[in-house]
Amino acid sequence: MRSRYTICLLAGLILLAGFILPAASLAGTNTWTTNGPSGGEVLSLALSPNFASDHTLFAGTYDGGAFKSTDAGASWSAVNTGLISPEVTPLALSPNFAADSTLFAGTWGGGVFKSTDRGSNWSAVNTGLTGMNVYSLALSPNFASDSTLFAGTYGGGAFKSTNAGASWSAVNTGPTNTHVLSLALSPNFASDHTLFAGAVGGVFSYTFSPRNYYWAWYDATGGMQNWVLMANPSGAAGNLRFDLDIAGTPRSPGDLGSGVGVVPPGKALTPMYLGVTGGPVKATSVTGDKAIVSQRSLMGNSFEEVLGTDEARLSDHYFWSWYDELSSGYTNWILIANPSATETVSAVISFTNLADGQPVSQVGDIAPGANWNPTFPGKMGGPVEVKAYKAGGSWPTDKMNVIASQRVLSNNGSAFNEVPGIPAADLSSDYLWTWYDNASPGATDWVLVANPGVDHTGASQGTVSATVKIGALTYGPYSIAPGHNVTPTFPGIADGPVEVTSTGGDVIATQRSLFGPSFEEVPGYPRANLASDYHWTWYDQQSAGSTNWVLVANPGDTPVTYQIKIAGQVQPTTADNPGTIPAHGKVTPTFPTEKGGPVEVTSTGGPVMASQRVLWNGYFNEVLGTVLN
């Protein structure tokens, strides 16, 4: 049913038409004259951004569709091919209309239509648009690069498209009324991401908060190759746009042909900046939409992938299970980066239970946007703890979030590994991995379990008891005092899933693996965080020397079904990729013809655990799947 606001609007237009229709079709001075379209009840007008030179404008009418004039309104012609709804409420032209010839029409009952040939032909663009009575349209001032526009509907609220109308998603979080009559974007939308909506009930504002992902460091110098991978999930509603910053310097994320930093669903940007080193690194999903981001590094033949840390998951308190700069051929850094643009941060690194019996406690001040990367020669042991707070203050009264990771060079500098710190809030009494291997030639695998002395709430705890389960075999229990750990290994065992559980408190749990010349550490995944949808930026079994497995484990008591997509394509069910996993079972398929991203694993019937394992010229890496929150 038409709203009373529309009825009033139409009544006013009809009355106005009655007064002005008899006038001559001439431009008036200090008066109004009618310029057509003849007899139309005109609901909307839109002028070309280049009106001064092309004299082009469009009119949307109540029952006659759309009209176009190329002589500043002196004459009009109907432009309705493909425009199946005759009631055109709003019209909006691309800011780059002179080059892209694009405009949009909102209709009452028919949704949104798009023309890319200056109105000669139209097509409906309504995927995901559940409100078909469209009252308002607004295009981003940067539409040419971000492909972003908004639609306000009567009864359905506001919708956003980031792929020039190909698909829409609702943006109605908060108190905005479902009857959105008008929309306006900030002229500085590219940086402030602010939108206003006039609705039944008043004016509402909406700010799209960018979503930032961090790493402590970037290095593409001295034989190191380092890519930042930024991917848009294959099931996303529209394009993502990324910004990238390394050590305070903006970097171009690259162009897939849709604009700088613009990534369509199921695609990934993979830029590398040779000769650049420093940190922190920040990848930004500009409108706050969910993204998959990681860094991939090659050092010689050594391959490593590190997931970006979502800003919402940054912490002031981190742990690792172990530190080693005593074993032959090892160099070990603790990297701490300060993401604040204004505040200096103090960080305390401490660890006990060391081979030399001398505990470590060291404080470093980190300027805004800077980092601290200390190393501790001759030290080996754990757990390792980092606390961060505002310089001049104390922890936890003045705590501040930082980015924290460990970087290890092993095998006399030929193998590289990095493992992010485990936030204290993520400590758990139940961790999982997809696989354990201490049976393959050249493989040695330890399960490290440490007692941090506190649980995930920060409460102190005493001695804990931990158990390790690999497939159907159980080991332990192991008694672990606060500030101590155990590092068992299980020769001849290759199986999964792997689980560490504890009683008496939370633990830190990781796997450390030696495979041939390489070293790898993988944190356990808390059972409480298990999901039915995991993502990675990339898969590669086409590059020379690369073998890539997708491991999916079912830690539950009932069978599950699963599906693997690579670059948006569902991988076929085969003996290697059966599509079902029994209770407490696992699969480890590989796809010899595939290279690309993003990668997705989904399951039905229960949550799963998922990771990718890669052999690159004999060097081993494993990266857990990302859960999009």
Side-chain angles (χ1 to χ4, degrees), residues 22-40:
S25 182
L26 298 172
T29 302
N30 297 328
T31 186
W32 289 93
T33 57
T34 181
N35 284 20
S38 179

Side-chain angles (χ1 to χ4, degrees), residues 548-561:
N548 197 158
W549 295 265
V550 178
L551 289 80
V552 188
N554 175 14
D557 296 326
T558 57
V560 299
T561 60

Side-chain angles (χ1 to χ4, degrees), residues 222 229 283 352 388 416 469 499 576 578:
L229 289 81
T352 56
F416 167 66
K469 185 177 181 181
E499 185 172 19
D576 188 38

Side-chain angles (χ1 to χ4, degrees), residues 124-138:
V125 285
N126 292 323
T127 301
L129 189 73
T130 56
M132 303 304 285
N133 297 323
V134 181
Y135 247 121
S136 50
L137 290 169

